[in-house]
Amino acid sequence: CVLETITESKFLNIAKNYLGCEPVLTSVNMWWSTDYLKKADSEAAQMFHFDLDRIKWLKFFIYLTDVDEDKGPHVYIEKTHKSFSKPYKFMLRGYKRINDEEIYASFDESRIKKIIGKNGTVIVGNTSCYHKGLPPKDGNRLIFEFELSNSMFGGPSSDIYSEIYNNKNFQYYKKLHPNLFLKY
């Protein structure tokens, strides 16, 4: 269940320790990638980018399919979440996707990490680093993502369907974790 996953104490404790406060749920997404296009899709976050979602946040990604080299692994460039770690020439462009050629010309290949894993693999990260999902070469990849933040201040948020407000499961979890579901 999505609500059980989001309220898993291990995830909440990781976020609380990182954020220094009770976390607030600020987004929930699923990314389904197929081998149909055979190329990177900017709209599907398959080109290098960084996020600027909130003041401080942590994203949790869970592979819902087995992910190997050909199934679209998550990729990130280590240490690019730190201040002044991104090339100035990229920052001058603003919040834009960066193509692989420019990334590989700007960063040592040893810093570019691919994460492969079985269904259920959890990735936790500060996505202010450069990252992307590789487009699958063969098959599909499904990944569940949710973001826990220190506040609602910052980037845009989309409202969920009003039906959830009357859902008994949701109301149960909202009572257990009122701060977490502050947005809702």
Side-chain angles (χ1 to χ4, degrees):
C1 168
V2 169
L3 289 170
E4 289 171 349
T5 301
I6 292 169
T7 58
E8 169 62 46
S9 62
K10 289 178 187 176
F11 297 151
L12 294 177
N13 287 333
I14 289 168
K16 184 177 181 178
N17 288 332
Y18 180 77
L19 299 169
C21 65
E22 291 295 326
V24 177
L25 177 67
T26 47
S27 75
V28 178
N29 298 290
M30 291 186 80
W31 299 93
W32 181 255
S33 301
T34 70
D35 59 5
Y36 177 74
L37 287 180
K38 305 290 186 205
K39 63 178 184 165
D41 179 0
S42 176
E43 294 297 316
Q46 294 175 342
M47 294 180 69
F48 280 105
H49 65 285
F50 59 92
D51 298 335
L52 290 173
D53 295 359
R54 304 283 167 192
I55 295 171
K56 193 171 184 182
W57 71 94
L58 201 56
K59 288 196 180 177
F60 294 77
F61 300 90
I62 303 172
Y63 286 153
L64 299 180
T65 54
D66 292 346
V67 176
D68 60 24
E69 281 283 332
D70 293 333
K71 298 271 192 301
H74 182 78
V75 180
Y76 71 96
I77 304 174
E78 69 180 4
K79 299 183 182 174
T80 56
H81 67 290
K82 297 184 178 205
S83 298
F84 305 106
S85 63
K86 296 170 183 70
Y88 185 66
K89 63 184 177 184
F90 295 165
M91 300 307 290
L92 286 174
R93 297 181 200 171
Y95 186 69
K96 302 284 184 196
R97 306 290 200 214
I98 309 295
N99 67 45
D100 286 359
E101 293 77 25
E102 291 179 287
I103 288 290
Y104 282 97
S106 300
F107 295 99
D108 187 271
E109 198 168 335
S110 66
R111 291 180 58 192
I112 302 172
K113 308 295 184 182
K114 292 180 186 173
I115 303 174
I116 60 172
K118 298 284 186 194
N119 174 359
T121 296
V122 176
I123 304 163
V124 181
N126 172 340
T127 57
S128 65
C129 70
Y130 280 119
H131 66 282
K132 69 176 184 170
L134 281 175
K137 296 176 191 171
D138 178 38
N140 305 305
R141 179 197 73 174
L142 180 59
I143 190 167
F144 173 64
E145 169 209 330
F146 63 98
E147 177 184 86
L148 300 177
S149 302
N150 65 341
S151 76
M152 291 299 300
F153 183 83
S157 64
S158 58
D159 288 326
I160 56 174
Y161 298 110
S162 60
E163 293 90 34
I164 197 166
Y165 298 108
N166 296 320
N167 180 288
K168 289 179 185 175
N169 277 342
F170 176 75
Q171 292 303 325
Y172 169 79
Y173 284 104
K174 187 173 182 194
K175 283 180 184 173
L176 281 178
H177 305 281
N179 194 63
L180 181 66
F181 295 106
L182 189 63
K183 173 180 172 179
Y184 308 101

